[in-house]
Amino acid sequence: MRWRPGSGRLVTIMAVCFGMTVVITRLYLMASGYPKIGGSTYHIAHALFGGLLLVISCLIMFLFASRGTITTAAVLSGVGLGLFIDEVGKFITTNNNYFFPLAAPIIYLAFLLIVLVARWAAHSRPRPPALILADVTEEVGLSVGKPIRVDQRNELLNRLDNLDRSGFSPDRVQLYDALESYLRTTHEDTLPSRLTRLRAVADRVLDDLLPRRALAGVLITVLIFHALWTLLRLVLAIVAFTGRRSPWPVLNHFLDHYQHHGDKALVGLAIAAGAEVLVGLGCAIGAGAWLRGHVEIGVRLGIWSSILSLTVVNVLASYFSQFLTVFTAIAEALLLWLLIRYRTRYCSV
């Protein structure tokens, strides 16, 4: 098997659609009072619609050949998987308990796994020249009969120019020459893709709204608030672990999720609390280092603190409070993206 070019982008689209579908579905069901499709006899679970979308995404890939259909299949597979796995609580309990606490960590872990696969797929790796030639051939085949974008054409030509043809057989040399000739003479579409244009517009808007100095100020402030928020979550964990109740009703609303889960759940809560200590310290020290002029250290600590919270704290915390964890994870993912963007643009590492 050979690695599909652009696989990282496709799996990322699937992961984003998966995560958004689960969040939107759970919020909609909560807001609408958990309605049911069916009558007194039937209950049409939305997992069935998820399975249907997964089948449709497979059929699209089997029946059609174009970049658009592959992207559409990635979107549908993400939505389908989200609808399907959202009801995992029913599949792992004898009483079909949709609200079973273990369901949220399973969903969160599945999402993290897909994200990790997306990052792994996007990682560049050495490929034999024959496979690169096959990739270019497939890309050109999908573009036959229509103008090819300039950026895509230049990228394909660059891949051909960097090939070592010394080990090619005569037929592969002929294929190489034919591909190069076609790419250099074919009609060009001078407009970049919609995604490229949208990304350029988004970059300009973000740069206008948050230039370097303003972005640094926002990130430092968010790191400080993240440390304080982590401290609050730590207090919630400690109070829940000791089995006490606070004098504040709002706080008790969150603590209700922590009661009566047994010793194994409390062990997980203790691990999450220990990780929260590291996250809070990392954010606080990172913000302090940034303010003292050690920008790279501050950014690095912020990134690793966000990753630790996303991959350890939130997995365990989702067992006790799924919605609180979901919104925390969304905010932390946005913070992580902005930190990585800042490091890529303005730091030397």
Side-chain angles (χ1 to χ4, degrees):
M1 295 186 293
R2 62 187 179 90
W3 206 258
R4 174 187 290 277
S7 55
R9 180 184 67 87
L10 295 173
V11 182
T12 299
I13 292 174
M14 178 184 177
V16 171
C17 293
F18 168 33
M20 290 179 60
T21 299
V22 172
V23 173
I24 292 173
T25 300
R26 295 229 159 191
L27 289 176
Y28 168 75
L29 291 177
M30 181 180 67
S32 58
Y34 298 94
K36 294 182 179 180
I37 301 177
S40 59
T41 301
Y42 299 103
H43 169 50
I44 311 300
H46 53 267
L48 297 177
F49 296 102
L52 177 62
L53 288 177
L54 289 172
V55 172
I56 292 175
S57 67
C58 290
L59 290 175
I60 288 175
M61 288 188 292
F62 295 157
L63 296 175
F64 305 101
S66 72
R67 294 183 190 85
T69 54
I70 294 176
T71 303
T72 302
V75 172
L76 292 179
S77 63
V79 175
L81 181 58
L83 290 174
F84 177 80
I85 204 170
D86 181 63
E87 298 204 280
V88 67
K90 294 182 178 181
F91 306 146
I92 61 176
T93 54
T94 55
N95 60 346
N96 296 326
N97 185 3
Y98 175 78
F99 304 99
F100 190 62
L102 189 58
I106 291 175
I107 295 171
Y108 195 93
L109 281 173
F111 174 73
L112 284 181
L113 180 60
I114 296 176
V115 171
L116 289 175
V117 171
R119 300 316 306 154
W120 179 62
H123 181 69
S124 60
R125 51 182 57 82
R127 294 170 61 81
L131 287 185
I132 297 177
L133 184 65
D135 293 340
V136 175
T137 303
E138 180 180 355
E139 291 289 314
V140 170
L142 294 174
S143 302
V144 170
K146 58 183 179 181
I148 188 171
R149 298 193 313 272
V150 175
D151 55 343
Q152 180 189 359
R153 168 185 173 274
N154 293 337
E155 193 269 335
L156 292 175
L157 282 173
N158 183 61
R159 287 159 70 180
L160 287 178
D161 292 338
N162 291 328
L163 277 181
D164 180 12
R165 299 193 301 169
S166 59
F168 278 4
S169 59
D171 58 331
R172 288 180 179 173
V173 172
Q174 291 179 358
L175 176 60
Y176 177 97
D177 293 337
L179 289 172
E180 185 180 34
S181 175
Y182 175 81
L183 289 172
R184 294 192 184 280
T185 58
T186 188
H187 180 62
E188 297 177 348
D189 184 358
T190 55
L191 287 177
S193 65
R194 283 197 191 96
L195 181 60
T196 301
R197 296 199 299 270
L198 287 175
R199 187 177 299 165
V201 171
D203 286 339
R204 288 197 301 269
V205 171
L206 187 58
D207 289 338
D208 291 339
L209 293 177
L210 291 174
R212 179 175 182 176
R213 186 182 297 273
L215 180 58
V218 169
L219 289 175
I220 293 172
T221 304
V222 172
L223 285 176
I224 294 173
F225 276 101
H226 193 192
L228 295 175
W229 173 248
T230 302
L231 178 62
L232 175 60
R233 295 179 76 184
L234 181 60
V235 171
L236 288 173
I238 293 174
V239 174
F241 192 79
T242 58
R244 299 177 180 176
R245 296 183 67 83
S246 75
W248 299 287
V250 175
L251 192 60
N252 287 326
H253 173 71
F254 293 111
L255 294 181
D256 286 340
H257 298 281
Y258 294 95
Q259 307 301 322
H260 312 299
H261 289 300
D263 294 338
K264 291 182 179 179
L266 291 179
V267 170
L269 182 60
I271 296 173
E276 283 174 335
V277 172
L278 297 177
V279 171
L281 287 175
C283 290
I285 296 174
W290 203 330
L291 287 171
R292 290 193 300 270
H294 305 291
V295 178
E296 295 179 2
I297 296 176
V299 172
R300 188 182 297 273
L301 283 173
I303 288 174
W304 282 109
S305 298
S306 299
I307 291 175
L308 178 62
S309 185
L310 285 167
T311 57
V312 177
V313 174
N314 291 336
V315 172
L316 298 171
S318 63
Y319 182 90
F320 304 96
S321 182
Q322 57 174 309
F323 289 112
L324 185 64
T325 303
V326 163
F327 292 116
T328 300
I330 292 173
E332 288 173 343
L334 179 60
L335 171 62
L336 178 61
W337 176 71
L338 288 174
L339 286 169
I340 293 175
R341 175 187 174 90
Y342 188 94
R343 184 182 66 174
T344 303
R345 290 198 164 207
Y346 305 120
C347 296
S348 59
V349 294

